[in-house]
Amino acid sequence: MNCRLADCGDTPGICDIEMASFKTPWSFESIWSDICMNENAYYFVAEVDGKIVGYCGIHVVLDEGHIMNVAVSPEYRRQGIGEAVLRTMMDYTCMSAYTLEVRISNKTAIELYKRLGFVSAGVRPNYYGNEDAIIMWRRESTT
């Protein structure tokens, strides 16, 4: 597996994973614009044999990063790919703090984020339509 910074040409592979992973996926145009036009956005991909199998995106504001999306192709889940691409992103961006929202029902993702040093900081009611989101933060002093 190889993790790297994404480029515009990675948009189709990222969109395939997005469509397979989320009930309300981002559009091709939104992802392409974020990767190719937004100077405050960074996307990272994980590849296996040249195929994009996971990704994450982050928006950087000053010294903090808001993790927008993290997803792994269904057939590659539970192999450490999500953690690898998140660690690559954090090594590259070196923010003093990271935040994200995660579905309250997504226990697998919550456990991953906890392993990476994220802690729960609150709840956003109905953030995902009729499902709450847990707000999580990871500060530089957290391991």
Side-chain angles (χ1 to χ4, degrees), residues 53-118:
V53 297
Y55 78 94
C56 70
I58 183 172
H59 288 177
V60 173
V61 179
L62 300 174
D63 63 343
E64 293 182 353
H66 186 176
I67 299 170
M68 305 304 292
N69 286 346
V70 180
V72 174
S73 293
E75 63 272 24
Y76 288 90
R77 291 183 183 155
R78 297 189 178 272
Q79 297 179 33
I81 292 169
E83 182 170 348
V85 76
L86 280 164
R87 286 188 184 279
T88 299
M89 178 272 301
M90 289 188 287
D91 288 346
Y92 183 93
T93 58
C94 298
M95 301 283 99
S96 66
Y98 297 92
T99 188
L100 55 82
E101 292 87 14
V102 59
R103 285 181 185 274
I104 204 160
S105 64
N106 194 342
K107 304 301 183 198
T108 302
I110 293 166
E111 289 307 311
L112 167 61
Y113 301 139
K114 286 180 179 178
R115 277 196 315 274
L116 292 171
F118 285 81

